[in-house]
Amino acid sequence: MVSRHLSRWLLLLADAVPAAPGRPGRTAARPHHRAPPETARELVSPTVAYTAGLWPFAHTSPAVSEAQRALELAATKVDFVARLGRILHVAVTRLLALR
């Protein structure tokens, strides 16, 4: 299940990609959500890096998962979708503010 924020920002980025010739793009239906294509391109590399960095923290080994059941380590658990959604929300918001 993808978080509401992640879905929203992925739609925003999808709107920035031009449609294939002869096919209507998403922007025809949602012109107010259009982001400049350079914003989408600028976000691709950091998104890959964020995803690669967060994945192992959210999908730990069985031993680490067992240790995280202890109350004192419970805060070290990472919700991958929520965390990535928040990071992308902040990144896209800031990139759009800089334009």
Side-chain angles (χ1 to χ4, degrees), residues 10-53:
L10 290 176
L11 284 173
L12 176 76
L13 292 175
D15 286 345
V17 178
R23 295 179 59 189
R26 297 180 54 83
T27 56
R30 304 172 63 131
H32 59 286
H33 286 285
R34 186 166 172 81
E38 60 272 7
T39 299
R41 282 191 294 272
E42 193 173 355
L43 194 62
V44 170
S45 293
T47 299
V48 170
Y50 298 144
T51 301

Side-chain angles (χ1 to χ4, degrees), residues 72-87:
E72 54 277 351
L73 294 177
T76 64
K77 291 180 185 177
V78 174
D79 179 339
F80 178 79
V81 172
R83 183 74 58 92
L84 184 60
R86 174 70 179 146
I87 288 170

Side-chain angles (χ1 to χ4, degrees), residues 53-97:
L54 281 175
W55 187 263
F57 287 100
H59 300 86
T60 58
S61 69
V64 172
S65 293
E66 186 177 334
Q68 288 175 324
R69 290 189 191 110
L71 187 58
E72 54 277 351
L73 294 177
T76 64
K77 291 180 185 177
V78 174
D79 179 339
F80 178 79
V81 172
R83 183 74 58 92
L84 184 60
R86 174 70 179 146
I87 288 170
L88 292 178
H89 169 79
V90 171
V92 170
T93 302
R94 186 64 184 139
L95 282 173
L96 291 175

